[in-house]
Amino acid sequence: MLFRSRVVRWWDFAATKKRASGRQPDFTASVKATYDPETDLFYIVDTTLTREDASGVETLVHSVVSNDGETVEQHIEQEPGSSGVQVIRYWEKELRPYNVSVTAHSATGSKRGRWLGLRSAIEQGRVRAVRSPTLPAFLDQLAALTHDEARDEKEQRKDDAMDAASGAFRILIGLTVDKRAGYVGSIHL
């Protein structure tokens, strides 16, 4: 019954390889998820979390989308400006052979505001995750953001996992972001 529901994958792109030392770049993260309205549970079915250059990211996306198949909707956050439009057009063209739906979404409101729905669902115990190779690192990134709201700018916490998971959550639940929304509270994963 779980997989008769709508299944989406949300992509949060970056394109820089891990450095030997110093401040580390963002990750390319994606979450494949579904929602069961009968149980009100959000399921994280698969995750990706990697630091690769543009070529490595492209290879990853082709592999993942090919494995996902035609029934999984692909969603991408569209960065502001004309470059964001070009990136979306590029991915629409690249993924056309897989016969998948590719939808662009402009970010609205603050990141913390966009995370509220997922954070609340986690706090209420309504999020389940299927084991995958990248799931432990993915959950570590979520936990680092949800346990400590006092974020020191010098710390190298990354929010790519939360961006991808909350994007999928918002699509499946049908949430819109209130730009004035505040913080929900601490969440224990």
Side-chain angles (χ1 to χ4, degrees):
M1 173 123 145
L2 174 63
F3 294 103
R4 289 185 188 170
S5 300
R6 179 181 182 195
V7 181
V8 304
R9 182 176 295 273
W10 183 281
W11 290 94
D12 182 46
F13 288 120
T16 306
K17 281 192 168 193
K18 185 176 181 176
R19 297 183 180 116
S21 63
R23 186 167 175 83
Q24 294 299 319
D26 286 342
F27 290 87
T28 289
S30 77
V31 169
K32 179 179 173 181
T34 190
Y35 172 72
D36 182 355
E38 290 181 21
T39 61
D40 196 29
L41 293 176
F42 175 74
Y43 291 88
I44 296 175
V45 180
D46 182 51
T47 62
T48 64
L49 191 64
T50 188
R51 286 184 172 126
E52 292 291 335
D53 60 16
S55 175
V57 169
E58 186 173 315
T59 299
L60 171 71
V61 171
H62 280 277
S63 174
V64 168
V65 171
S66 176
N67 288 332
D68 280 352
E70 295 179 6
T71 60
V72 177
E73 303 168 24
Q74 304 293 323
H75 294 265
I76 303 169
E77 182 175 333
Q78 182 173 333
E79 301 296 334
S82 61
S83 64
V85 173
Q86 290 173 338
V87 167
I88 296 303
R89 286 186 182 154
Y90 172 80
W91 284 113
E92 288 171 341
K93 183 179 176 184
E94 278 294 301
L95 300 179
R96 194 170 295 134
Y98 301 105
N99 198 30
V100 297
S101 165
V102 177
T103 306
H105 302 272
S106 296
T108 59
S110 71
K111 280 186 177 254
R112 289 185 179 166
R114 293 192 302 268
W115 298 344
L116 284 176
L118 177 62
R119 291 175 72 127
S120 178
I122 292 170
E123 187 174 63
Q124 296 166 15
R126 297 186 300 114
V127 178
R128 303 290 187 269
V130 176
R131 291 187 193 276
S132 71
T134 58
L135 185 62
F138 201 89
L139 292 177
D140 286 348
Q141 206 181 90
L142 288 181
L145 289 170
T146 57
H147 285 300
D148 182 12
E149 193 61 22
R151 184 175 176 187
D152 184 342
E153 291 302 318
K154 293 180 182 177
E155 292 183 53
Q156 294 188 23
R157 291 199 187 130
K158 298 297 178 187
D159 57 13
D160 311 295
M162 182 64 93
D163 286 344
S166 66
F169 181 84
R170 288 190 320 273
I171 294 300
L172 289 166
I173 306 298
L175 291 178
T176 57
V177 176
D178 180 349
K179 291 182 181 182
R180 297 164 294 157
Y183 170 61
V184 169
S186 64
I187 297 172
H188 305 283
L189 293 175

